[in-house]
Amino acid sequence: MDSENDKKALTESELIDRQVEEIMTDEDSADGSGKRKKKRRKKARSGEKPSLKERWKGYSRKRKIITVVVVLAAAAFLLSRCGRGEKGPVAVPVNVMSLTRQPIKEKLSVSGPISGTDSVDVVSNIHAEIITMNVKEGDKVTKDQILAVLDKTDLERDLQVAQNAYDLAVVNKQEKDKSEALGYEKATQDLRKAQADYNRNSALYAAGDISQVEMEQAANALNDAKRQVEGYNVVNGRGAADASYELQVQNAAIDLEKKKEELENAEIKSTIDGTVVRVNSKVGQFADKVEDDKPIFSIENLDQLEMEIKISEYSIGKVQVGQTAVISADILDGETVEGEIIKISPTGEEKGGGSTERVIPTTIRIDGSNSKLIAGITAKAEILIRESEDAFVVPVTSLIDDGEATYIAVVEEQKVRRIPVTLGVDGDVNVEVIPADGSEFTEGMQVILNPGPMTVDGALVTVLPQM
C-alpha cells in the first residue's frame, strides 16, 4: 500500500527515471539462463566518462519517453526469447510514422543591431562656445537645418585679419608688377641703345677710328644691358613680380577661405534628413571639446531601417541578395517584420573571441516605416534559405548514412526495406527526402523513426503503437 502511495507521489518524469533504472539494473544483472550475476562496482576514476545514470538525468523528457519505449520493447523481446528458448528469426520492435507530403522551410537564424539607412555624427573643430542649441533628441531635422550656433566674436575678428592680409598681399603684388614692368621696359631700351653703340663702334674699330679699349667698353656695356634684361621675370612680354609674390597671395587666399568657412560653420547644420538620436553637448561648452570626444549630435534616417548581421563562413554559401527574412524583437511584443537581404560583403572578417571562424557582414533592409522597431536595439532575423510546398518530409533521426549513401527504412509486410534518398530542404528537425536510384515513394509508407543496426533490409519488425 505504501509503495502505491509513493508511486502516486512521484512526478511522471521521476517515475520514468525509476522504471528505466530498474530495467537497466535487471538487464545488467541477468545472464542467458535467468540467473543473477553478482554486481560489480568500481570507484569512479578521474577522467572517466559520466555514468549512464548521470547521462540519463541530462536527457530531455521527450528523449526519456522514447528511450523507455524502446528499452521496454527490447527487454520484452529479449526476455520472451530467452524464456521460450527460440532460435529462429524474431521481430524487432520499431516506432514508425506515415510518410506524407507537407510544406517545409529551411531557415538560418542570426541576430544583429538595428540602425538607420543613413547616419551622420555632427562634430566641430572650431574652438568657440556654443550659445544656442536649436534641437533636442527625437527631433526630426532636414538637410542644412541649423542645429546650434557658436559665438562668432573671435571668428569675425580672425576673418577680418585674414581679409587684411590677403588684401595686402594682392596690393604688394600689384605694385611689384607695376615696378617690374617699368624696370623691364627701361632695361630693354637700354639694351637696344647698347646694341646700337656696339654695332657703330665695331664699324669704327674696323676702320681704325677708335682704339681697342673703346671697343671693349662698348662690348661690356652691351653685356651689362643684356644681364639687366635677363634679370627680370617676364610674363606675356611684360616685366612682372616674381613667383614669391604670387605665392603670398595664394597663401593669404587659403587662410581667408578657411576663416570664412569657420565663420559659416559657426552655424552647425545637419547634412542629412533624419532624426536627432543623440545630443552630447550643451550651451556654454566649446564645440571642439565635447566630453569623451563624442559628436555634438548623432542623426539617423529612421524612415528606413536596416539590420547589420554577420553570417558564418560555413553558412554564407546558402545566403543570397534578395532572400527574405522575418525579423523579431522583444519590442515587437510577439509581432514580426519582413525584411530583405540587400548587401553581402565581398570579404570576411574575424569572428573574435579567440575563434578561427570567419564571418561575413550582411545587410538586411527592413520593410515598413511604421513598425515598432527602433535603431540601436538588437533583433533576430530568420532568413528563408529555400522552401518546398509539397515535399516528403521525415525527421532527421530517420536517416541512415552508411558512409556511401543515405537511406530511410520503411516497413512493408512486417519487413524492413531501405530506400536510397537525396536530401532537399533542411528544416533542422525535419528534412525533405527525395527517392534516388529509381526508387519511388507513396504516401502512407511506414517510415521507421529511429532505425538501428538491426533494421537492415529484410529484417522482421513489429510496429509499436504510436504514442
mmCIF file with all atom_site columns, all heavy atoms in Angstrom, residues 346-369:
data_model
loop_
_atom_site.group_PDB
_atom_site.id
_atom_site.type_symbol
_atom_site.label_atom_id
_atom_site.label_alt_id
_atom_site.label_comp_id
_atom_site.label_asym_id
_atom_site.label_entity_id
_atom_site.label_seq_id
_atom_site.pdbx_PDB_ins_code
_atom_site.Cartn_x
_atom_site.Cartn_y
_atom_site.Cartn_z
_atom_site.occupancy
_atom_site.B_iso_or_equiv
_atom_site.pdbx_formal_charge
_atom_site.auth_seq_id
_atom_site.auth_comp_id
_atom_site.auth_asym_id
_atom_site.auth_atom_id
_atom_site.pdbx_PDB_model_num
ATOM 1   N N   . PRO A 1 346 ? 31.934 41.549 -49.771 1.00 0.00 ? 346 PRO A N   1
ATOM 2   C CA  . PRO A 1 346 ? 32.774 40.654 -50.582 1.00 0.00 ? 346 PRO A CA  1
ATOM 3   C C   . PRO A 1 346 ? 33.928 40.042 -49.797 1.00 0.00 ? 346 PRO A C   1
ATOM 4   O O   . PRO A 1 346 ? 34.622 39.173 -50.306 1.00 0.00 ? 346 PRO A O   1
ATOM 5   C CB  . PRO A 1 346 ? 33.293 41.587 -51.686 1.00 0.00 ? 346 PRO A CB  1
ATOM 6   C CG  . PRO A 1 346 ? 33.289 42.940 -51.060 1.00 0.00 ? 346 PRO A CG  1
ATOM 7   C CD  . PRO A 1 346 ? 32.115 42.959 -50.124 1.00 0.00 ? 346 PRO A CD  1
ATOM 8   N N   . THR A 1 347 ? 34.134 40.485 -48.555 1.00 0.00 ? 347 THR A N   1
ATOM 9   C CA  . THR A 1 347 ? 35.236 39.956 -47.747 1.00 0.00 ? 347 THR A CA  1
ATOM 10  C C   . THR A 1 347 ? 34.733 39.571 -46.359 1.00 0.00 ? 347 THR A C   1
ATOM 11  O O   . THR A 1 347 ? 33.771 40.138 -45.852 1.00 0.00 ? 347 THR A O   1
ATOM 12  C CB  . THR A 1 347 ? 36.371 40.986 -47.599 1.00 0.00 ? 347 THR A CB  1
ATOM 13  O OG1 . THR A 1 347 ? 35.842 42.179 -46.983 1.00 0.00 ? 347 THR A OG1 1
ATOM 14  C CG2 . THR A 1 347 ? 36.960 41.345 -48.950 1.00 0.00 ? 347 THR A CG2 1
ATOM 15  N N   . GLY A 1 348 ? 35.409 38.599 -45.759 1.00 0.00 ? 348 GLY A N   1
ATOM 16  C CA  . GLY A 1 348 ? 35.070 38.173 -44.403 1.00 0.00 ? 348 GLY A CA  1
ATOM 17  C C   . GLY A 1 348 ? 35.956 38.868 -43.383 1.00 0.00 ? 348 GLY A C   1
ATOM 18  O O   . GLY A 1 348 ? 36.908 39.577 -43.714 1.00 0.00 ? 348 GLY A O   1
ATOM 19  N N   . GLU A 1 349 ? 35.630 38.646 -42.123 1.00 0.00 ? 349 GLU A N   1
ATOM 20  C CA  . GLU A 1 349 ? 36.412 39.210 -41.029 1.00 0.00 ? 349 GLU A CA  1
ATOM 21  C C   . GLU A 1 349 ? 36.434 38.222 -39.876 1.00 0.00 ? 349 GLU A C   1
ATOM 22  O O   . GLU A 1 349 ? 35.667 37.253 -39.862 1.00 0.00 ? 349 GLU A O   1
ATOM 23  C CB  . GLU A 1 349 ? 35.816 40.540 -40.578 1.00 0.00 ? 349 GLU A CB  1
ATOM 24  C CG  . GLU A 1 349 ? 34.398 40.443 -40.070 1.00 0.00 ? 349 GLU A CG  1
ATOM 25  C CD  . GLU A 1 349 ? 33.780 41.789 -39.749 1.00 0.00 ? 349 GLU A CD  1
ATOM 26  O OE1 . GLU A 1 349 ? 34.042 42.758 -40.481 1.00 0.00 ? 349 GLU A OE1 1
ATOM 27  O OE2 . GLU A 1 349 ? 33.037 41.862 -38.748 1.00 0.00 ? 349 GLU A OE2 1
ATOM 28  N N   . GLU A 1 350 ? 37.324 38.460 -38.925 1.00 0.00 ? 350 GLU A N   1
ATOM 29  C CA  . GLU A 1 350 ? 37.447 37.549 -37.788 1.00 0.00 ? 350 GLU A CA  1
ATOM 30  C C   . GLU A 1 350 ? 36.198 37.613 -36.914 1.00 0.00 ? 350 GLU A C   1
ATOM 31  O O   . GLU A 1 350 ? 35.644 38.680 -36.678 1.00 0.00 ? 350 GLU A O   1
ATOM 32  C CB  . GLU A 1 350 ? 38.676 37.897 -36.960 1.00 0.00 ? 350 GLU A CB  1
ATOM 33  C CG  . GLU A 1 350 ? 39.995 37.627 -37.675 1.00 0.00 ? 350 GLU A CG  1
ATOM 34  C CD  . GLU A 1 350 ? 41.192 37.917 -36.786 1.00 0.00 ? 350 GLU A CD  1
ATOM 35  O OE1 . GLU A 1 350 ? 40.975 38.353 -35.638 1.00 0.00 ? 350 GLU A OE1 1
ATOM 36  O OE2 . GLU A 1 350 ? 42.335 37.723 -37.236 1.00 0.00 ? 350 GLU A OE2 1
ATOM 37  N N   . LYS A 1 351 ? 35.777 36.453 -36.448 1.00 0.00 ? 351 LYS A N   1
ATOM 38  C CA  . LYS A 1 351 ? 34.614 36.390 -35.566 1.00 0.00 ? 351 LYS A CA  1
ATOM 39  C C   . LYS A 1 351 ? 34.946 36.956 -34.195 1.00 0.00 ? 351 LYS A C   1
ATOM 40  O O   . LYS A 1 351 ? 34.104 37.554 -33.533 1.00 0.00 ? 351 LYS A O   1
ATOM 41  C CB  . LYS A 1 351 ? 34.131 34.949 -35.443 1.00 0.00 ? 351 LYS A CB  1
ATOM 42  C CG  . LYS A 1 351 ? 32.883 34.788 -34.589 1.00 0.00 ? 351 LYS A CG  1
ATOM 43  C CD  . LYS A 1 351 ? 32.428 33.337 -34.559 1.00 0.00 ? 351 LYS A CD  1
ATOM 44  C CE  . LYS A 1 351 ? 31.162 33.173 -33.738 1.00 0.00 ? 351 LYS A CE  1
ATOM 45  N NZ  . LYS A 1 351 ? 30.706 31.772 -33.703 1.00 0.00 ? 351 LYS A NZ  1
ATOM 46  N N   . GLY A 1 352 ? 36.196 36.766 -33.761 1.00 0.00 ? 352 GLY A N   1
ATOM 47  C CA  . GLY A 1 352 ? 36.599 37.251 -32.443 1.00 0.00 ? 352 GLY A CA  1
ATOM 48  C C   . GLY A 1 352 ? 36.411 36.214 -31.369 1.00 0.00 ? 352 GLY A C   1
ATOM 49  O O   . GLY A 1 352 ? 35.924 35.102 -31.614 1.00 0.00 ? 352 GLY A O   1
ATOM 50  N N   . GLY A 1 353 ? 36.771 36.565 -30.169 1.00 0.00 ? 353 GLY A N   1
ATOM 51  C CA  . GLY A 1 353 ? 36.632 35.653 -29.047 1.00 0.00 ? 353 GLY A CA  1
ATOM 52  C C   . GLY A 1 353 ? 37.562 34.467 -29.117 1.00 0.00 ? 353 GLY A C   1
ATOM 53  O O   . GLY A 1 353 ? 37.283 33.419 -28.525 1.00 0.00 ? 353 GLY A O   1
ATOM 54  N N   . GLY A 1 354 ? 38.670 34.609 -29.848 1.00 0.00 ? 354 GLY A N   1
ATOM 55  C CA  . GLY A 1 354 ? 39.621 33.511 -29.952 1.00 0.00 ? 354 GLY A CA  1
ATOM 56  C C   . GLY A 1 354 ? 39.258 32.477 -30.996 1.00 0.00 ? 354 GLY A C   1
ATOM 57  O O   . GLY A 1 354 ? 39.988 31.508 -31.188 1.00 0.00 ? 354 GLY A O   1
ATOM 58  N N   . SER A 1 355 ? 38.131 32.661 -31.695 1.00 0.00 ? 355 SER A N   1
ATOM 59  C CA  . SER A 1 355 ? 37.697 31.693 -32.700 1.00 0.00 ? 355 SER A CA  1
ATOM 60  C C   . SER A 1 355 ? 38.437 31.923 -34.019 1.00 0.00 ? 355 SER A C   1
ATOM 61  O O   . SER A 1 355 ? 38.743 33.052 -34.383 1.00 0.00 ? 355 SER A O   1
ATOM 62  C CB  . SER A 1 355 ? 36.186 31.811 -32.928 1.00 0.00 ? 355 SER A CB  1
ATOM 63  O OG  . SER A 1 355 ? 35.776 30.992 -34.007 1.00 0.00 ? 355 SER A OG  1
ATOM 64  N N   . THR A 1 356 ? 38.713 30.842 -34.734 1.00 0.00 ? 356 THR A N   1
ATOM 65  C CA  . THR A 1 356 ? 39.341 30.946 -36.055 1.00 0.00 ? 356 THR A CA  1
ATOM 66  C C   . THR A 1 356 ? 38.291 31.077 -37.156 1.00 0.00 ? 356 THR A C   1
ATOM 67  O O   . THR A 1 356 ? 38.641 31.274 -38.320 1.00 0.00 ? 356 THR A O   1
ATOM 68  C CB  . THR A 1 356 ? 40.204 29.707 -36.336 1.00 0.00 ? 356 THR A CB  1
ATOM 69  O OG1 . THR A 1 356 ? 39.379 28.530 -36.261 1.00 0.00 ? 356 THR A OG1 1
ATOM 70  C CG2 . THR A 1 356 ? 41.326 29.599 -35.316 1.00 0.00 ? 356 THR A CG2 1
ATOM 71  N N   . GLU A 1 357 ? 37.038 30.979 -36.790 1.00 0.00 ? 357 GLU A N   1
ATOM 72  C CA  . GLU A 1 357 ? 35.956 31.085 -37.769 1.00 0.00 ? 357 GLU A CA  1
ATOM 73  C C   . GLU A 1 357 ? 35.877 32.503 -38.319 1.00 0.00 ? 357 GLU A C   1
ATOM 74  O O   . GLU A 1 357 ? 36.125 33.479 -37.608 1.00 0.00 ? 357 GLU A O   1
ATOM 75  C CB  . GLU A 1 357 ? 34.628 30.712 -37.100 1.00 0.00 ? 357 GLU A CB  1
ATOM 76  C CG  . GLU A 1 357 ? 33.438 30.745 -38.037 1.00 0.00 ? 357 GLU A CG  1
ATOM 77  C CD  . GLU A 1 357 ? 32.137 30.424 -37.318 1.00 0.00 ? 357 GLU A CD  1
ATOM 78  O OE1 . GLU A 1 357 ? 32.198 30.050 -36.124 1.00 0.00 ? 357 GLU A OE1 1
ATOM 79  O OE2 . GLU A 1 357 ? 31.070 30.544 -37.941 1.00 0.00 ? 357 GLU A OE2 1
ATOM 80  N N   . ARG A 1 358 ? 35.534 32.626 -39.596 1.00 0.00 ? 358 ARG A N   1
ATOM 81  C CA  . ARG A 1 358 ? 35.361 33.919 -40.229 1.00 0.00 ? 358 ARG A CA  1
ATOM 82  C C   . ARG A 1 358 ? 33.862 34.178 -40.426 1.00 0.00 ? 358 ARG A C   1
ATOM 83  O O   . ARG A 1 358 ? 33.066 33.255 -40.580 1.00 0.00 ? 358 ARG A O   1
ATOM 84  C CB  . ARG A 1 358 ? 36.052 33.960 -41.587 1.00 0.00 ? 358 ARG A CB  1
ATOM 85  C CG  . ARG A 1 358 ? 37.494 33.518 -41.582 1.00 0.00 ? 358 ARG A CG  1
ATOM 86  C CD  . ARG A 1 358 ? 38.428 34.525 -40.978 1.00 0.00 ? 358 ARG A CD  1
ATOM 87  N NE  . ARG A 1 358 ? 38.559 35.694 -41.842 1.00 0.00 ? 358 ARG A NE  1
ATOM 88  C CZ  . ARG A 1 358 ? 39.390 36.698 -41.582 1.00 0.00 ? 358 ARG A CZ  1
ATOM 89  N NH1 . ARG A 1 358 ? 40.123 36.682 -40.478 1.00 0.00 ? 358 ARG A NH1 1
ATOM 90  N NH2 . ARG A 1 358 ? 39.475 37.736 -42.407 1.00 0.00 ? 358 ARG A NH2 1
ATOM 91  N N   . VAL A 1 359 ? 33.489 35.454 -40.397 1.00 0.00 ? 359 VAL A N   1
ATOM 92  C CA  . VAL A 1 359 ? 32.097 35.830 -40.619 1.00 0.00 ? 359 VAL A CA  1
ATOM 93  C C   . VAL A 1 359 ? 32.044 36.888 -41.717 1.00 0.00 ? 359 VAL A C   1
ATOM 94  O O   . VAL A 1 359 ? 33.010 37.610 -41.949 1.00 0.00 ? 359 VAL A O   1
ATOM 95  C CB  . VAL A 1 359 ? 31.442 36.365 -39.329 1.00 0.00 ? 359 VAL A CB  1
ATOM 96  C CG1 . VAL A 1 359 ? 31.283 35.258 -38.307 1.00 0.00 ? 359 VAL A CG1 1
ATOM 97  C CG2 . VAL A 1 359 ? 32.251 37.521 -38.743 1.00 0.00 ? 359 VAL A CG2 1
ATOM 98  N N   . ILE A 1 360 ? 30.894 36.980 -42.370 1.00 0.00 ? 360 ILE A N   1
ATOM 99  C CA  . ILE A 1 360 ? 30.722 37.893 -43.492 1.00 0.00 ? 360 ILE A CA  1
ATOM 100 C C   . ILE A 1 360 ? 29.621 38.899 -43.144 1.00 0.00 ? 360 ILE A C   1
ATOM 101 O O   . ILE A 1 360 ? 28.467 38.511 -42.921 1.00 0.00 ? 360 ILE A O   1
ATOM 102 C CB  . ILE A 1 360 ? 30.364 37.135 -44.790 1.00 0.00 ? 360 ILE A CB  1
ATOM 103 C CG1 . ILE A 1 360 ? 31.531 36.261 -45.247 1.00 0.00 ? 360 ILE A CG1 1
ATOM 104 C CG2 . ILE A 1 360 ? 29.999 38.104 -45.890 1.00 0.00 ? 360 ILE A CG2 1
ATOM 105 C CD1 . ILE A 1 360 ? 31.680 34.946 -44.561 1.00 0.00 ? 360 ILE A CD1 1
ATOM 106 N N   . PRO A 1 361 ? 29.960 40.198 -43.089 1.00 0.00 ? 361 PRO A N   1
ATOM 107 C CA  . PRO A 1 361 ? 28.933 41.218 -42.801 1.00 0.00 ? 361 PRO A CA  1
ATOM 108 C C   . PRO A 1 361 ? 27.864 41.242 -43.892 1.00 0.00 ? 361 PRO A C   1
ATOM 109 O O   . PRO A 1 361 ? 28.160 41.228 -45.086 1.00 0.00 ? 361 PRO A O   1
ATOM 110 C CB  . PRO A 1 361 ? 29.730 42.525 -42.783 1.00 0.00 ? 361 PRO A CB  1
ATOM 111 C CG  . PRO A 1 361 ? 31.146 42.112 -42.500 1.00 0.00 ? 361 PRO A CG  1
ATOM 112 C CD  . PRO A 1 361 ? 31.307 40.776 -43.169 1.00 0.00 ? 361 PRO A CD  1
ATOM 113 N N   . THR A 1 362 ? 26.618 41.276 -43.454 1.00 0.00 ? 362 THR A N   1
ATOM 114 C CA  . THR A 1 362 ? 25.483 41.239 -44.367 1.00 0.00 ? 362 THR A CA  1
ATOM 115 C C   . THR A 1 362 ? 24.425 42.230 -43.892 1.00 0.00 ? 362 THR A C   1
ATOM 116 O O   . THR A 1 362 ? 24.240 42.412 -42.688 1.00 0.00 ? 362 THR A O   1
ATOM 117 C CB  . THR A 1 362 ? 24.884 39.815 -44.424 1.00 0.00 ? 362 THR A CB  1
ATOM 118 O OG1 . THR A 1 362 ? 25.914 38.893 -44.815 1.00 0.00 ? 362 THR A OG1 1
ATOM 119 C CG2 . THR A 1 362 ? 23.736 39.717 -45.405 1.00 0.00 ? 362 THR A CG2 1
ATOM 120 N N   . THR A 1 363 ? 23.750 42.881 -44.843 1.00 0.00 ? 363 THR A N   1
ATOM 121 C CA  . THR A 1 363 ? 22.766 43.912 -44.502 1.00 0.00 ? 363 THR A CA  1
ATOM 122 C C   . THR A 1 363 ? 21.371 43.473 -44.933 1.00 0.00 ? 363 THR A C   1
ATOM 123 O O   . THR A 1 363 ? 21.164 43.033 -46.057 1.00 0.00 ? 363 THR A O   1
ATOM 124 C CB  . THR A 1 363 ? 23.115 45.241 -45.185 1.00 0.00 ? 363 THR A CB  1
ATOM 125 O OG1 . THR A 1 363 ? 24.433 45.646 -44.800 1.00 0.00 ? 363 THR A OG1 1
ATOM 126 C CG2 . THR A 1 363 ? 22.130 46.329 -44.776 1.00 0.00 ? 363 THR A CG2 1
ATOM 127 N N   . ILE A 1 364 ? 20.417 43.622 -44.005 1.00 0.00 ? 364 ILE A N   1
ATOM 128 C CA  . ILE A 1 364 ? 19.004 43.340 -44.283 1.00 0.00 ? 364 ILE A CA  1
ATOM 129 C C   . ILE A 1 364 ? 18.235 44.660 -44.227 1.00 0.00 ? 364 ILE A C   1
ATOM 130 O O   . ILE A 1 364 ? 18.311 45.390 -43.233 1.00 0.00 ? 364 ILE A O   1
ATOM 131 C CB  . ILE A 1 364 ? 18.408 42.361 -43.257 1.00 0.00 ? 364 ILE A CB  1
ATOM 132 C CG1 . ILE A 1 364 ? 19.135 41.015 -43.322 1.00 0.00 ? 364 ILE A CG1 1
ATOM 133 C CG2 . ILE A 1 364 ? 16.913 42.174 -43.487 1.00 0.00 ? 364 ILE A CG2 1
ATOM 134 C CD1 . ILE A 1 364 ? 18.685 40.041 -42.252 1.00 0.00 ? 364 ILE A CD1 1
ATOM 135 N N   . ARG A 1 365 ? 17.524 44.976 -45.291 1.00 0.00 ? 365 ARG A N   1
ATOM 136 C CA  . ARG A 1 365 ? 16.651 46.153 -45.278 1.00 0.00 ? 365 ARG A CA  1
ATOM 137 C C   . ARG A 1 365 ? 15.300 45.758 -44.706 1.00 0.00 ? 365 ARG A C   1
ATOM 138 O O   . ARG A 1 365 ? 14.701 44.757 -45.131 1.00 0.00 ? 365 ARG A O   1
ATOM 139 C CB  . ARG A 1 365 ? 16.475 46.710 -46.692 1.00 0.00 ? 365 ARG A CB  1
ATOM 140 C CG  . ARG A 1 365 ? 15.605 47.986 -46.730 1.00 0.00 ? 365 ARG A CG  1
ATOM 141 C CD  . ARG A 1 365 ? 15.526 48.542 -48.139 1.00 0.00 ? 365 ARG A CD  1
ATOM 142 N NE  . ARG A 1 365 ? 14.948 47.542 -49.037 1.00 0.00 ? 365 ARG A NE  1
ATOM 143 C CZ  . ARG A 1 365 ? 15.213 47.498 -50.326 1.00 0.00 ? 365 ARG A CZ  1
ATOM 144 N NH1 . ARG A 1 365 ? 16.055 48.356 -50.865 1.00 0.00 ? 365 ARG A NH1 1
ATOM 145 N NH2 . ARG A 1 365 ? 14.645 46.573 -51.084 1.00 0.00 ? 365 ARG A NH2 1
ATOM 146 N N   . ILE A 1 366 ? 14.813 46.529 -43.746 1.00 0.00 ? 366 ILE A N   1
ATOM 147 C CA  . ILE A 1 366 ? 13.568 46.204 -43.052 1.00 0.00 ? 366 ILE A CA  1
ATOM 148 C C   . ILE A 1 366 ? 12.406 46.904 -43.737 1.00 0.00 ? 366 ILE A C   1
ATOM 149 O O   . ILE A 1 366 ? 12.437 48.119 -43.959 1.00 0.00 ? 366 ILE A O   1
ATOM 150 C CB  . ILE A 1 366 ? 13.654 46.609 -41.571 1.00 0.00 ? 366 ILE A CB  1
ATOM 151 C CG1 . ILE A 1 366 ? 14.811 45.855 -40.902 1.00 0.00 ? 366 ILE A CG1 1
ATOM 152 C CG2 . ILE A 1 366 ? 12.342 46.337 -40.852 1.00 0.00 ? 366 ILE A CG2 1
ATOM 153 C CD1 . ILE A 1 366 ? 15.102 46.303 -39.498 1.00 0.00 ? 366 ILE A CD1 1
ATOM 154 N N   . ASP A 1 367 ? 11.379 46.134 -44.060 1.00 0.00 ? 367 ASP A N   1
ATOM 155 C CA  . ASP A 1 367 ? 10.202 46.696 -44.732 1.00 0.00 ? 367 ASP A CA  1
ATOM 156 C C   . ASP A 1 367 ? 9.305  47.404 -43.724 1.00 0.00 ? 367 ASP A C   1
ATOM 157 O O   . ASP A 1 367 ? 9.144  46.951 -42.592 1.00 0.00 ? 367 ASP A O   1
ATOM 158 C CB  . ASP A 1 367 ? 9.397  45.591 -45.419 1.00 0.00 ? 367 ASP A CB  1
ATOM 159 C CG  . ASP A 1 367 ? 10.203 44.898 -46.514 1.00 0.00 ? 367 ASP A CG  1
ATOM 160 O OD1 . ASP A 1 367 ? 11.150 45.531 -47.013 1.00 0.00 ? 367 ASP A OD1 1
ATOM 161 O OD2 . ASP A 1 367 ? 9.872  43.749 -46.851 1.00 0.00 ? 367 ASP A OD2 1
ATOM 162 N N   . GLY A 1 368 ? 8.712  48.515 -44.176 1.00 0.00 ? 368 GLY A N   1
ATOM 163 C CA  . GLY A 1 368 ? 7.714  49.191 -43.349 1.00 0.00 ? 368 GLY A CA  1
ATOM 164 C C   . GLY A 1 368 ? 8.323  50.202 -42.408 1.00 0.00 ? 368 GLY A C   1
ATOM 165 O O   . GLY A 1 368 ? 9.150  49.864 -41.575 1.00 0.00 ? 368 GLY A O   1
ATOM 166 N N   . SER A 1 369 ? 7.926  51.460 -42.550 1.00 0.00 ? 369 SER A N   1
ATOM 167 C CA  . SER A 1 369 ? 8.438  52.523 -41.676 1.00 0.00 ? 369 SER A CA  1
ATOM 168 C C   . SER A 1 369 ? 7.573  52.699 -40.429 1.00 0.00 ? 369 SER A C   1
ATOM 169 O O   . SER A 1 369 ? 7.915  53.472 -39.550 1.00 0.00 ? 369 SER A O   1
ATOM 170 C CB  . SER A 1 369 ? 8.491  53.846 -42.447 1.00 0.00 ? 369 SER A CB  1
ATOM 171 O OG  . SER A 1 369 ? 7.204  54.204 -42.920 1.00 0.00 ? 369 SER A OG  1
#
